[in-house]
Amino acid sequence: MPRTITEKILAAHAGRDAVKPGDIITVKVDLVLVNDITGLIADREFRKMGVTKVFDPTKIAIVLDHFVPAKDMASAEQSRISRRFAQEFGIVNFYDVGRAGIEHALLPEQGLVAPGELIIGADSHTVTYGGIGAFSTGVGGTDAAAAMALGETWLRVPETLKFVFQGKLGKWITGKDLVLYTIGQIGVEGARYKAMEFTGEAIQDLSVEGRLTMCNMAIEAGGKSGIVPPDEKTLEYVRPRVRREFKVYQSDPDARYEQVFEWDVTGLEPQVSLPHLPSNAVPVSKVGDVKIDQSVIGSCTNGRIEDLRVAAAILKGQRVHPDVRLIVIPATQDVYKQAMHEGLFDVFVDAGGAVSAPTCGPCLGGYMGILAAGERAISTTNRNFVGRMGDRSSEVYLASPAVAAASAIAGRIVGPEEVL
Amino acid sequence: MAEMQVHGRVFRYGKDVNTDLIIPARYLNIIDVKEQATHTMEDLDPEFPRKVRPGDIVVAEENYGCGSSREEAPLMLKTCGVSAVVAKSFARIFFRNAINIGLPVFESAAAVDAAQAGDELEIDTASGLIRNLTKGQTYQAAPLPEFIQGIIRAGGLVEYVRARVGAK
Ligand code: SF4
């Protein structure tokens, strides 16, 4: 039987020749991830499970990122619980403030995830690693605890939706625009329980970072996972980072898909998702006159070096609009250092922007840029739900770093062409 | 999910109720679960935490629990006393989390369409039979896969793992 890449990875981890959509299988996991928030539940539930050690201390990653550096005493206490867990169980991949970053940017960057691997994480954006050809999906804290105990988890084999992006991308068009467009087309539950496979000429042209951005938002269409079958670019990205054997899978040419979407994205405009759902995607020229109070560039979706470079290219020699606060958050320590070396911080600071240490911060309304009642932000993050970045009457518009940077200059939502 | 029968009043919501609405991230650093639960659903329905009583049932349209993976979402509902959620469909992580922590969840479009706020429902959690006592109607929810029923029978995922590793 011909199979998709997702079915092949799942079969390999289930110790079976083949699996098909709908099968409920038990799979071995290559990595289990928790963060400072979900680590709390994982710690509590793990201790109830009657085990005295984790299945493999090298195959667990604990990343403190959501409310760190500790935003208040409660967060400090929360981080301490994960820190204690890491010490007690000898967790090798423990990432604390100053040596960390946002989990989903950090893990691929540090080579903790590889093509063909199976990763579960107690965070919904664990789907990101499909960008390098892994199967990864989000679970809850108790699921993560069980996987830390057993080294395995159960999954339902998802049907796969295939997305073929034909054509050439315009100058400012990124993975973010493609994924917002996709969610706009199929809706926030268009891929519920399903794997999303992204292919086509435009995907081949995307950088690995852009592919990570796309898979990151598969969950915003309800997807169980997102995946880009690996190619030379993937291997170039992975080889210097991953120091262990891994296996590259490809979908068979005649693999069965539940549905195939094919779009020509030549001439696609930058996309903006209006409040309060990621599926409210429209071309930037159709947004209308929307003034903003804040522009956020960062997160596990768009806080990588490529994102900061794009933003800096637009902000260079320009000034942030007097009514706007620009907040730039490199996603990891490595991105931070790289951006510093390249002089990108000079650009942001000279333009009147604030640069923060790596953190999720405002993305989930944690801190470092919370919106007051009625305020409006353009943001490179992935969710614009009611109250996501602050007061429940505030609004978040989702877009690429290019649009967020251009809008910071204009004081209202515009595409990059309008400020250059 | 030890209870075979749950019984309570309907709180009725629309589609795409995300986990940020069920428990906003700003409360995720509260370690005391009971205190945290006083904020359940407050961005969607500020009255909810005050009005909900043990046994009550949340009824919603499609894609209930979409968004973040936070297990606090089903946990807050359970802590508030919610005995079950009936929806047209669930987001998958919410569904998983609910099973794992022992909050019964059922998919039945017909039961959702008929239910109005304040209706009294009775659900047989083993068979998925939903009775709307106010309307005098009965609905059958889709049965759960056998593997998931095994987790439920064990009493949730923690107990399931305990049994697997032979813990006493
Ligand atoms: S940056 Fe935002 S979406 Fe990503 S892990 Fe952090 S809170 Fe979640």
Side-chain angles (χ1 to χ4, degrees):
Chain A
M1 269 292 268
R3 297 288 175 205
T4 66
I5 176 171
T6 300
E7 289 155 8
K8 290 181 188 179
I9 298 174
L10 292 179
H13 286 80
R16 296 213 211 161
D17 290 340
V19 296
K20 59 177 192 318
D23 289 353
I24 301 229
I25 54 173
T26 301
V27 287
K28 294 234 173 305
V29 295
D30 296 307
L31 191 76
V32 184
L33 164 73
V34 300
N35 59 46
D36 49 333
I37 293 182
T38 56
L40 190 70
I41 289 186
D43 174 274
R44 187 173 71 212
E45 302 306 313
F46 185 84
R47 290 173 194 282
K48 292 183 198 160
M49 285 173 178
V51 288
T52 51
K53 54 184 180 36
V54 297
F55 83 105
D56 184 342
T58 68
K59 292 187 173 173
I60 291 167
I62 302 181
V63 185
L64 308 186
D65 57 0
H66 281 65
F67 295 152
V68 301
K71 80 176 177 92
D72 54 19
M73 282 187 277
S75 304
E77 189 55 38
Q78 195 173 37
S79 281
R80 186 156 72 177
I81 290 170
S82 287
R83 215 170 273 134
R84 187 188 61 193
F85 186 93
Q87 260 171 17
E88 191 177 332
F89 296 101
I91 305 303
V92 176
N93 302 303
F94 171 66
Y95 293 94
D96 209 333
V97 177
R99 283 139 286 172
I102 302 172
E103 49 197 310
H104 310 305
L106 189 76
L107 266 46
E109 173 197 281
Q110 297 297 319
L112 266 74
V113 294
E117 291 189 340
L118 191 152
I119 302 104
I120 65 162
D123 189 277
S124 60
H125 293 101
T126 302
V127 287
T128 308
Y129 321 130
I132 56 164
F135 175 89
S136 57
T137 194
V139 296
T142 302
D143 266 319
M148 290 198 283
L150 302 175
E152 55 182 52
T153 193
W154 66 272
L155 293 170
R156 178 184 166 280
V157 179
E159 294 79 14
T160 298
L161 304 179
K162 185 177 182 178
F163 298 84
V164 187
F165 297 85
Q166 304 290 17
K168 284 271 172 233
L169 298 176
K171 177 152 198 270
W172 298 105
I173 305 305
T174 62
K176 182 62 162 288
D177 301 292
L178 294 185
V179 73
L180 292 182
Y181 177 79
T182 304
I183 300 164
Q185 293 295 311
I186 67 171
V188 288
E189 61 161 353
R192 204 165 45 82
Y193 291 107
K194 308 204 193 310
M196 302 172 80
E197 187 174 318
F198 303 116
T199 64
E201 192 188 349
I203 301 296
Q204 283 161 13
D205 286 349
L206 273 187
S207 64
V208 169
E209 301 199 337
R211 300 171 187 182
L212 290 165
T213 300
M214 288 192 74
C215 291
N216 173 272
M217 288 195 72
I219 177 72
E220 262 43 82
K224 177 177 210 141
S225 57
I227 199 160
V228 176
D231 60 7
E232 254 325 297
K233 272 190 192 166
T234 316
L235 296 177
E236 260 169 49
Y237 178 92
V238 170
R239 267 193 209 114
R241 303 166 194 268
V242 177
R243 273 168 233 92
R244 61 186 177 281
E245 302 252 317
F246 58 86
K247 198 159 171 209
V248 172
Y249 295 91
Q250 299 291 344
S251 292
D252 294 323
D254 50 350
R256 295 254 296 272
Y257 294 95
E258 187 179 270
Q259 222 178 324
V260 179
F261 299 85
E262 195 161 342
W263 295 310
D264 188 331
V265 292
T266 311
L268 185 80
E269 266 190 62
Q271 302 285 303
V272 176
S273 288
L274 314 178
H276 289 284
L277 283 178
S279 54
N280 297 336
V282 297
V284 67
S285 63
K286 298 268 157 52
V287 172
D289 186 22
V290 176
K291 293 207 169 39
I292 53 162
D293 304 288
Q294 180 165 298
S295 172
V296 175
I297 299 176
S299 85
C300 61
T301 316
N302 282 126
R304 300 182 185 83
I305 190 66
E306 176 183 288
D307 301 312
L308 301 191
R309 283 181 189 141
V310 169
I314 292 166
L315 282 156
K316 196 166 173 71
Q318 305 248 32
R319 295 285 305 165
V320 171
H321 189 279
D323 300 337
V324 176
R325 291 104 52 184
L326 169 68
I327 298 167
V328 181
I329 311 178
T332 67
Q333 290 287 112
D334 281 8
V335 173
Y336 190 97
K337 196 167 168 203
Q338 179 78 23
M340 189 163 64
H341 274 303
E342 292 182 15
L344 308 186
F345 290 172
D346 288 327
V347 174
F348 300 135
V349 174
D350 289 346
V355 179
S356 149
T359 181
C360 294
C363 171
L364 79 161
Y367 74 121
M368 196 69 79
I370 301 305
L371 300 174
E375 283 193 327
R376 218 178 265 145
I378 184 118
S379 177
T380 68
T381 53
N382 47 42
R383 288 191 175 134
N384 55 353
F385 301 153
V386 171
R388 175 79 180 176
M389 200 176 275
D391 189 89
R392 59 181 304 232
S393 67
S394 63
E395 293 182 343
V396 178
Y397 290 70
L398 304 175
S400 68
V403 173
S407 305
I409 297 164
R412 59 195 174 85
I413 298 178
V414 296
E417 314 287 356
E418 294 219 22
V419 296
L420 293 174
Chain B
M1 282 210 186
E3 298 260 342
M4 296 297 278
Q5 290 267 335
V6 298
H7 176 228
R9 301 169 306 162
V10 167
F11 281 77
R12 183 74 163 80
Y13 301 102
K15 62 186 242 194
D16 301 327
V17 173
N18 64 70
T19 54
D20 277 275
L21 288 174
I22 301 172
I23 180 73
R26 59 183 177 275
Y27 302 124
L28 290 181
N29 61 1
I30 300 176
I31 292 176
D32 184 75
V33 178
K34 287 234 168 63
E35 184 194 334
Q36 205 173 27
T38 63
H39 301 289
T40 309
M41 303 277 266
E42 72 175 26
D43 280 357
L44 179 64
D45 178 1
E47 298 286 282
F48 182 86
R50 204 171 48 75
K51 285 215 224 128
V52 67
R53 286 204 303 259
D56 286 346
I57 294 169
V58 168
V59 175
E61 308 262 330
E62 294 89 355
N63 206 22
Y64 188 82
C66 61
S68 137
S69 71
R70 66 192 65 158
E71 193 168 316
E72 286 86 350
L75 191 62
M76 290 303 103
L77 294 170
K78 194 181 172 197
T79 307
C80 282
V82 170
S83 66
V85 184
V86 181
K88 290 192 177 170
S89 62
F90 291 92
R92 62 163 280 278
I93 306 180
F94 180 93
F95 183 86
R96 238 184 128 98
N97 286 339
I99 302 284
N100 287 345
I101 65 147
L103 175 70
V105 284
F106 302 96
E107 288 188 350
S108 167
V112 172
D113 279 335
Q116 285 173 298
D119 282 2
E120 262 185 71
L121 293 193
E122 191 176 83
I123 306 174
D124 184 291
T125 59
S127 69
L129 201 71
I130 302 169
R131 233 175 249 117
N132 186 324
L133 303 177
T134 311
K135 301 274 177 345
Q137 295 281 343
T138 303
Y139 313 89
Q140 179 66 54
L144 295 169
E146 176 51 34
F147 187 90
I148 294 176
Q149 288 194 32
I151 295 176
I152 295 169
R153 275 197 301 275
L157 190 61
V158 170
E159 291 306 317
Y160 175 84
V161 175
R162 286 183 67 85
R164 273 280 305 275
V165 301
K168 286 189 220 63

